[in-house]
Amino acid sequence: MNDYLETNLPDVYACGDCAEIRAKEPGGRNRIEQLWYTARMQGEALARIICGERVPYDRGIWFNSAKFFDLEYQTYGQVSPQPGDDEDSFYWEHPDRKHALRIAYRKPGMQVIGFNAIGIRLRHRVCERWIREGRTLDEVIRHLPEANFDPEFYQRFEAEVARQYAASRHAVSEAAAV
Ligand SMILES: Cc1cc2nc3c(=O)[nH]c(=O)nc-3n(C[C@H](O)[C@H](O)[C@H](O)COP(=O)(O)OP(=O)(O)OC[C@H]3O[C@@H](n4cnc5c(N)ncnc54)[C@H](O)[C@@H]3O)c2cc1C
């Protein structure tokens, strides 16, 4: 099928696990996106298309999310294993080593470019919007509770994350003042 989720048969569409989006460029790789989120996004795109609004399905900013037994992770945007010269990241980890958060940003303006979360559920739509809008690390840390969608009564870690972030900023400004 194509970016409009149309198959080779008229009025027959595909989305979700059963769908394979054909590469546009010759020799390009077809896309199979077997994720819950992409299934929902394709369903939403298809609803618009069959209602007459012919806009292509767009996965948007890269993301993935999974659960392995009781360990959950999400990744949104770009978190490079080897950050480039203009990239850096803020990292927080709980002493139990089951909860961790890395937020990658571009160094000049500290615009956030990616998130890796383990053991904390972060909302896809909120993180994607923050990346798209070029929100700074300061803003993201301040508004972190807005991104959380852990179930009720789960332990929350935003305050600890913010404390560590504030301490790291303080250390940076102290070093700059020396
Ligand atoms: C074990 C496992 C773990 C996963 N973990 C993750 C994860 O951590 N994160 C993530 O994002 N994604 C995960 N996924 C993938 C995610 O569940 C799927 O990508 C998503 O559910 C696909 O949605 P879908 O609507 O295309 O298909 P489905 O959710 O499979 O829905 C298809 C529906 O069609 C029904 N059906 C089948 N045949 C017929 C028929 N002939 N007539 C009527 N109904 C029919 C089925 O019963 C089913 O309800 C996981 C999948 C599995 C199997």
Side-chain angles (χ1 to χ4, degrees), residues 13-94:
Y13 302 84
C15 67
D17 276 6
C18 69
E20 182 172 11
I21 302 172
R22 288 202 181 279
K24 275 181 278 203
E25 64 286 2
R29 205 167 155 200
N30 292 351
R31 279 154 51 208
I32 302 172
E33 299 179 348
Q34 288 170 321
L35 288 171
W36 188 90
Y37 283 101
T38 48
R40 185 185 65 183
M41 289 162 72
Q42 289 179 10
E44 287 170 354
L46 183 50
R48 284 203 297 276
I49 289 163
I50 59 183
C51 289
E53 193 189 330
R54 200 169 181 276
V55 285
Y57 161 68
D58 176 12
R59 179 182 171 144
I61 291 167
W62 165 258
F63 67 90
N64 200 350
S65 101
K67 184 168 185 177
F68 186 68
F69 293 97
D70 61 347
L71 187 65
E72 295 192 38
Y73 84 85
Q74 297 105 50
T75 180
Y76 302 129
Q78 180 189 328
V79 183
S80 313
Q82 301 289 338
D85 289 343
D86 65 337
E87 291 171 33
D88 207 343
S89 67
F90 165 77
Y91 181 69
W92 170 87
E93 183 179 305
H94 192 270

Side-chain angles (χ1 to χ4, degrees), residues 1 32 56 174:
M1 61 189 220
I32 302 172
E174 293 252 298

